[in-house]
Amino acid sequence: MLVAFITTQLEKVIWNFRKGRSRVMEKNQTLILGWNQRVMDIIRELIIANESEKKASIVIIADREKEEMDEEINQVFRKTKNTKIITRKGSPSSLPNLKSLNAFFAKSAIVLADCEETASEERKLESDAKVFKSVLALNSIKGNSNLNIVADLFFDNSRELIKTFKSENIVFIKNW
């Protein structure tokens, strides 16, 4: 019975690890919150930018299965040089999820829109609301620190709303 119990617990730990349910231990990582058609280009640019660092890491959280994200990344990037890429399934605006990503120690965050520019106005508004919630969650974790945040937004009024945070570390990408 003891061997069966230990085996079951070990299998559970391995399964949770494989599903990405363990806590991220990296520091000075770049967070990517969300997933869209731009994510591979962003990863490519970050890999190039990280060439001068010894231990660089990118941590991605999105409402997608971890295995799907890992498979897509591995198809595009056979080698990531010195950059470690970690994926997690979850809500990018969830405080517990951001804490499990060790977001307090992140150097920067990129919050992506979750729809394409050809989506309906309603869908774009939903996307901007999700981006806003993620930026709000990051601000609550980081407080007044120097976390650089890039937010992918569709509408000017969404940018104006985020500007009320009065942070010089938030940059906007206008999604056309």
Side-chain angles (χ1 to χ4, degrees):
M1 256 172 67
L2 182 61
V3 171
F5 175 75
I6 292 171
T7 302
T8 302
Q9 293 304 313
L10 184 60
E11 286 174 354
K12 188 186 285 186
V13 167
I14 291 171
W15 186 81
N16 283 335
F17 185 72
R18 191 174 300 139
K19 288 291 186 179
R21 299 215 171 107
S22 61
R23 183 172 172 82
V24 173
M25 302 308 290
E26 268 63 30
K27 292 184 178 179
N28 292 322
Q29 73 274 31
T30 299
L31 299 175
I32 298 177
L33 309 180
W35 187 279
N36 65 24
Q37 71 277 7
R38 296 185 201 183
V39 75
M40 294 303 167
D41 292 331
I42 292 168
I43 292 171
R44 181 177 293 107
E45 293 299 320
L46 288 171
I47 289 171
I48 293 167
N50 289 335
E51 286 180 353
S52 63
E53 294 184 32
K54 289 184 181 180
K55 288 185 179 180
S57 58
I58 302 169
V59 180
I60 304 168
I61 186 167
D63 286 326
R64 299 183 58 162
E65 292 298 323
K66 176 184 176 15
E67 293 86 4
E68 288 177 23
M69 291 186 283
D70 289 341
E71 187 175 319
E72 282 187 48
I73 291 168
N74 289 334
Q75 285 176 356
V76 175
F77 303 103
R78 296 283 181 225
K79 295 182 180 179
T80 59
K81 301 181 183 178
N82 58 329
T83 301
K84 183 177 181 181
I85 301 174
I86 301 165
T87 59
R88 294 290 187 262
K89 176 184 170 61
S91 171
S93 61
S94 163
L95 285 175
N97 286 349
L98 292 176
K99 288 179 182 175
S100 74
L101 300 179
N102 219 7
F104 184 78
F105 295 104
K107 67 179 174 184
S108 61
I110 302 167
V111 187
L112 296 176
D114 71 345
C115 66
E116 295 182 19
E117 53 199 67
T118 57
S120 68
E121 293 286 311
E122 182 179 320
R123 189 71 190 93
K124 290 177 182 178
L125 281 170
E126 288 175 16
S127 175
D128 276 9
K130 288 179 182 178
V131 169
F132 180 80
K133 285 172 57 177
S134 295
V135 171
L136 189 62
L138 284 169
N139 269 347
S140 72
I141 285 177
K142 291 296 284 188
N144 293 327
S145 73
N146 293 330
L147 176 67
N148 295 308
I149 301 172
V150 177
D152 187 11
L153 296 164
F154 288 99
F155 299 105
D156 289 332
N157 56 353
S158 300
R159 281 185 281 287
E160 293 301 319
L161 190 58
I162 290 182
K163 284 181 184 177
T164 62
F165 292 148
K166 295 190 182 346
S167 174
E168 296 177 9
N169 296 341
I170 301 175
V171 177
F172 307 103
I173 297 175
K174 184 156 186 164
N175 214 325
W176 297 94

